[in-house]
Amino acid sequence: MSQIPPLFQREFLGYFRTPVAYVFLAVFLLASVGLAFFVSQFFKAGNASLEGYFVWHTWLFVFFAPAAGMRLWAEERRSGTLELLFTLPVTPLEAVLAKFLAAWAFLAAGILLSFPLALTAAWLGDPDWGIIAASYCGSILMAGAYLAVCSLMSALTRNQVVGFVLGLFVNLVLVFLGWSVFNGVLAAVFPQAVADLLANFSHTSHFDAFTKGIVDPKDVMFFVSLGGLCLFLNVLALER
Amino acid sequence: MIEVKGLVKNYGSTRAVDGVSFTVRRGEILGFLGPNGAGKSTTMKLITGYLRPDAGTAVVNGHDVTRDSLAVRRNLGYLAESAPAYPEMTVGEFLDFIAAMRGYRTPAAKAERIGHVVGLCHLQAVLGQTIETLSKGYKQRVGFAQALLHDPPVLVLDEPTDGLDPNQKNEVRAIIRQLAAAKAVILSTHILEEVDAICNRVIIISRGRVVVDETPEALHARQPGARLDEIFRTLTRGDL
Ligand SMILES: Nc1ncnc2c1ncn2[C@@H]1O[C@H](COP(=O)(O)OP(=O)(O)O)[C@@H](O)[C@H]1O
Ligand SMILES: [Mg+2]
């Protein structure tokens, strides 16, 4: 595991070597805070909480996680640097973890950049800091699960765009399964028990509790196991 | 130092390497010749541990690549075909990353090793330049510097002079010659004059099999008076 720090550093700083990082962070901030202000009516809602900000995250990550994760492996395959990387003394597991952690740290930075919003809420009213802390933790944890899916999808192709579309699609399915509208459709087709079971495999159903300040070990376990499974498959996908 | 024993590699139903065996000792520069598609690159990737053989193995400095590929990679410097490197990094950043991955973690240790290879490969002028803006010759030298950074006892170079102009070719050959005394070197090429220029042993492979393994002098003696490319053509006719 001693090879993780230099790989992590290369990958994390790699975002900032191109304009991609700045464009990503600016657009993510605009979109997430914009939705909170203009759709959720952050100021008019009359309560000092960030619920209107976090409620959009399951949807936002559908686009932003693949954007951050699409190049992780596809780009190494395309440019031939995969061969350079795996003739250095590094195991696939170390490489997968280092790259994943770098991308996750990058996404987490994007999420934490909204912190001035929390300060605004504190200035305007008296928010529940427990709920805000749980929401940030839940959001970052969930971002990790989205990203692990995208890292796996990126490892399956040498084309970043294909990686992006695959990551978006799989995460979208994982959101839809728990979305009340779609779940209603499912319940009409399948028995209620089946619909409920499917809803369990969704980002949405496991994130809601966090935004209410409840950290349920079952929800934590869902994101951790989804992420772990994807990263395990990611290692297998790099078998040569 | 390098012992290759019955290596076999299939890509789907095509057999790219078909029972290749040879040894390379310290001080030898082995020229690995063959027409395009003969299996040179694949054999080299098997020796480096990048690809897993379907049968046979390679032993590098006492380490069996199928049992301990990490140890093999620590003992080996590899320059892949077309010298892949991270295009958005500067030469300095790239070598710093390679040094860290090769276990040089203190600034002093890194600076010492990087300074050495930068001098050897004449990279002083481009240290601050991003790799994507380098000329083909400089890019190749960055690949060299990367392969030599940890002063490995074994060097595997896949077409190290491909695409260089005559002056650059001579310079690269001079570097190889200078290093070779204390190392075992395999270099692949399809430029026949290269054999006379630097190699003290020749292997010709054709359709995944070794057809010649001898000294350049013995190769010339096969058809006295004939040019090397005529001998080569006779030996690899099966490929046409
Ligand atoms: N990744 C791959 N997938 C399928 N076939 C491959 C792959 N790489 C090489 N080959 C095939 O294996 C054979 C040997 O290729 P290679 O080792 O690159 O030859 P050389 O380096 O001597 O030109 C060729 O027929 C080539 O088409
Ligand atoms: Mg080749």
Side-chain angles (χ1 to χ4, degrees), chain A residues 66-217:
Chain A
M70 64 183 186
R71 59 164 218 152
L72 282 179
W73 292 104
E75 184 59 15
E76 299 259 0
R77 279 194 200 281
R78 193 195 56 76
S79 68
T81 45
L82 194 68
E83 206 176 325
L84 173 80
L85 180 62
F86 285 125
T87 46
L88 293 169
V90 59
T91 62
L93 179 64
E94 286 173 321
V96 165
L97 287 178
K99 276 171 167 283
F100 167 76
L101 290 173
W104 194 19
F106 179 69
L107 264 186
I111 296 166
L112 291 173
L113 277 179
S114 70
F115 199 66
L117 209 58
L119 298 181
T120 311
W123 182 59
L124 292 173
D126 184 20
D128 183 329
W129 287 103
I131 292 183
I132 290 181
S135 302
Y136 271 110
C137 291
S139 172
I140 290 173
L141 186 64
M142 179 170 73
Y146 275 78
L147 196 62
V149 170
C150 297
S151 177
L152 169 61
M153 295 303 143
S154 172
L156 298 179
T157 171
R158 47 190 295 130
N159 184 317
Q160 289 195 48
V161 178
V162 174
F164 178 87
V165 172
L166 287 175
L168 187 144
F169 177 76
V170 174
N171 275 318
L172 196 60
V173 169
L174 288 175
V175 169
F176 266 164
L177 288 178
W179 188 31
S180 52
V181 177
F182 187 71
N183 203 252
V185 177
L186 279 182
V189 181
F190 297 110
Q192 187 62 45
V194 176
D196 287 347
L197 185 74
L198 284 174
N200 259 319
F201 290 98
S202 167
H203 296 306
T204 322
S205 1
H206 293 281
F207 181 57
D208 283 348
F210 284 103
T211 61
K212 304 197 166 54
I214 304 159
V215 180
D216 185 337

